[in-house]
């Protein structure tokens, strides 16, 4: 008898796989198990009675019903304990895969001693797992540490472990956590926004974005029109924004002052008395753009 293939599936509703038969028309259980590990037999649905029937198995050899496999789809049998174990393995694998897709984030490290370097930070956190990036934030003029930094790990499990505890770094207790903007997506945006005062008219949004990207990820830059000598820059991380507040920075040779963008809508007419359209027009513009006025340094 020439070789033929029968259709086998784990479930009646699944797409079947073709399994080769032997020269005498039988099928070896080992051939089935090679494609369906743990298989101990086959069954099929009788076309007449619609009941499930088992395929005769003798010494590891499966025999065709009435000497004809026909065009039926045969379903794999598993030992009950084996099937339960396989389901548990599949469930565990699904959880593992799901965890594998969880991405790590930049963690902010607060309370760093002034003497701590990036190498010190890396040496410490490497004891928890593989470190992708470390950064100590420093003052541009003096080069001194600002007392905080960032770290990112390769594994999500490592990140979770690090966040769950306090850390003694160079003799000082430090906290490591997700920046507020990532820990709580509904956090008000004003905490991530800075007011850039004393801008000149030749400064563009692209130039401001490129300049401030050296401090952290920039999500938005806004320069009001008509030009009013200020701009707003929004960071992905509110800690970066807060660290810059109070600084005088040099952009294109011009000293600009950085301060908090605070809600001061009731002072609009005092800050910009000559704005075209009046204070109502100015307030509407800021409401639409979700930007607020600072309390000073206009």
């Amino acid at each position: 008898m020439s070789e033929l293939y029968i259709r086998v599936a784990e479930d009646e509703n699944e797409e079947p796989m073709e399994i080769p038969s032997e020269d005498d028309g039988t099928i070896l259980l080992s051939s089935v198990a090679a494609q369906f590990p743990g298989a101990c037999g086959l069954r099929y649905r009788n076309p007449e009675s619609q009941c499930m029937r088992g395929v005769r198995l003798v010494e590891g050899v499966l025999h065709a019903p009435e000497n004809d496999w026909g065009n039926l789809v045969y379903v794999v049998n598993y030992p009950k304990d084996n099937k339960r174990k396989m389901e548990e393995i599949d469930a565990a694998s699904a959880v593992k895969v799901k965890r594998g897709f969880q991405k790590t984030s930049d963690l902010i490290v607060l309370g760093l001693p002034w003497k701590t370097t990036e190498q010190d930070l890396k040496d410490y956190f490497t004891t928890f797992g593989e470190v992708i990036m470390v950064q100590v934030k420093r003052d541009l003029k003096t080069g001194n540490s600002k007392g905080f930094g960032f770290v990112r790990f390769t594994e999500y499990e490592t990140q979770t472990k690090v966040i769950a505890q306090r850390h003694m770094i160079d003799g000082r207790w430090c906290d490591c956590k997700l920046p507020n903007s990532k820990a709580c997506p509904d956090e008000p945006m004003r905490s991530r926004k800075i007011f850039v005062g004393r801008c000149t008219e030749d400064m563009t949004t692209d130039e401001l974005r490129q300049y401030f990207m050296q401090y952290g990820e920039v999500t938005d830059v806004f320069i009001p029109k008509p030009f009013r000598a200020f701009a707003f820059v929004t960071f992905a991380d509110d800690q970066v924004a807060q660290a810059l507040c109070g600084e005088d920075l040099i952009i294109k040779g011009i000293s600009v002052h950085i301060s908090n963008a605070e809600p001061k809508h009731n002072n609009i007419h005092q800050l910009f008395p000559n704005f075209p359209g009046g204070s109502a027009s100015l307030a509407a513009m800021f409401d639409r753009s979700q930007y607020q006025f600072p309390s000073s340094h206009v």
Side-chain angles (χ1 to χ4, degrees):
M1 183 181 292
S2 61
E3 182 181 69
L4 57 87
Y5 290 81
I6 69 163
R7 298 189 297 167
V8 178
E10 282 196 339
D11 187 89
E12 284 186 284
N13 298 321
E14 291 186 1
E15 184 176 356
M17 175 182 290
E18 292 186 331
I19 303 293
S21 69
E22 299 303 304
D23 292 339
D24 60 359
T26 61
I27 293 179
L28 299 179
L29 180 59
S30 58
S31 297
V32 177
Q35 305 302 324
F36 302 92
C40 65
L42 294 176
R43 67 185 187 276
Y44 66 100
R45 188 172 297 281
N46 186 294
E48 296 179 1
S49 66
Q50 292 301 306
C51 293
M52 298 300 292
R53 283 188 178 182
V55 174
R56 188 160 60 95
L57 174 64
V58 179
E59 297 182 349
V61 178
L62 293 159
H63 297 265
E66 301 178 359
N67 297 317
D68 183 12
W69 292 106
N71 197 36
L72 301 174
V73 173
Y74 294 84
V75 180
V76 178
N77 288 334
Y78 292 103
K80 288 186 177 180
D81 290 343
N82 182 268
K83 183 176 182 181
R84 187 180 299 113
K85 183 177 180 181
M86 290 184 65
E87 289 173 348
E88 291 174 355
I89 292 174
D90 289 343
S93 298
V95 172
K96 187 175 182 180
V97 169
K98 184 177 180 181
R99 286 179 179 172
F101 280 102
Q102 290 182 288
K103 296 181 179 179
T104 58
S105 303
D106 290 350
L107 303 181
I108 187 164
V109 187
L110 301 172
L112 286 176
W114 306 120
K115 65 178 181 179
T116 301
T117 65
E118 291 183 348
Q119 188 60 50
D120 295 332
L121 209 58
K122 184 174 183 179
D123 290 344
Y124 174 79
F125 283 113
T126 299
T127 61
F128 293 89
E130 184 178 354
V131 174
I132 298 176
M133 175 278 299
V134 292
Q135 182 184 31
V136 174
K137 299 303 294 184
R138 298 184 179 278
D139 183 276
L140 285 180
K141 294 180 180 178
T142 65
N144 295 332
S145 169
K146 291 187 176 183
F148 73 96
F150 296 91
V151 61
R152 186 165 190 162
F153 296 95
T154 302
E155 300 295 333
Y156 185 82
E157 289 77 7
T158 305
Q159 172 178 302
T160 303
K161 180 169 61 177
V162 167
I163 292 175
Q165 64 185 79
R166 298 196 76 194
H167 304 273
M168 177 64 74
I169 302 176
D170 287 341
R172 185 173 179 179
W173 285 109
C174 302
D175 292 304
C176 192
K177 62 179 184 177
L178 283 168
N180 291 343
S181 56
K182 294 180 181 179
C184 181
D186 297 327
E187 182 101 358
M189 285 193 66
R190 67 175 181 271
S191 63
R192 296 188 280 128
K193 187 186 302 92
I194 59 172
F195 174 87
V196 186
R198 302 201 294 257
C199 293
T200 55
E201 199 162 359
D202 64 336
M203 293 180 185
T204 66
T205 56
D206 286 339
E207 288 172 339
L208 290 179
R209 182 183 296 274
Q210 288 296 321
Y211 178 85
F212 284 103
M213 278 174 59
Q214 66 181 299
Y215 300 102
E217 181 183 352
V218 175
T219 61
D220 190 51
V221 177
F222 178 76
I223 300 177
K225 294 182 180 180
F227 180 70
R228 301 301 296 176
F230 66 86
F232 291 94
V233 177
T234 304
F235 291 94
D237 180 9
D238 61 345
Q239 297 289 344
V240 174
Q242 296 306 310
L244 287 174
C245 290
E247 297 284 339
D248 289 306
L249 306 176
I250 304 298
I251 303 178
K252 298 185 72 173
I254 302 297
S255 176
V256 299
H257 186 80
I258 310 300
S259 59
N260 239 330
E262 301 172 353
K264 294 288 183 180
H265 287 226
N266 56 337
N267 291 335
I268 290 177
H269 64 284
Q270 297 176 6
L271 295 173
F272 302 97
N274 299 319
F275 191 89
S279 60
S281 172
L282 187 59
M285 178 189 75
F286 276 82
D287 285 336
R288 286 195 303 271
S289 63
Q290 295 184 335
Y291 287 88
Q292 288 83 33
F293 287 94
S295 54
S296 61
H297 300 293
V298 176

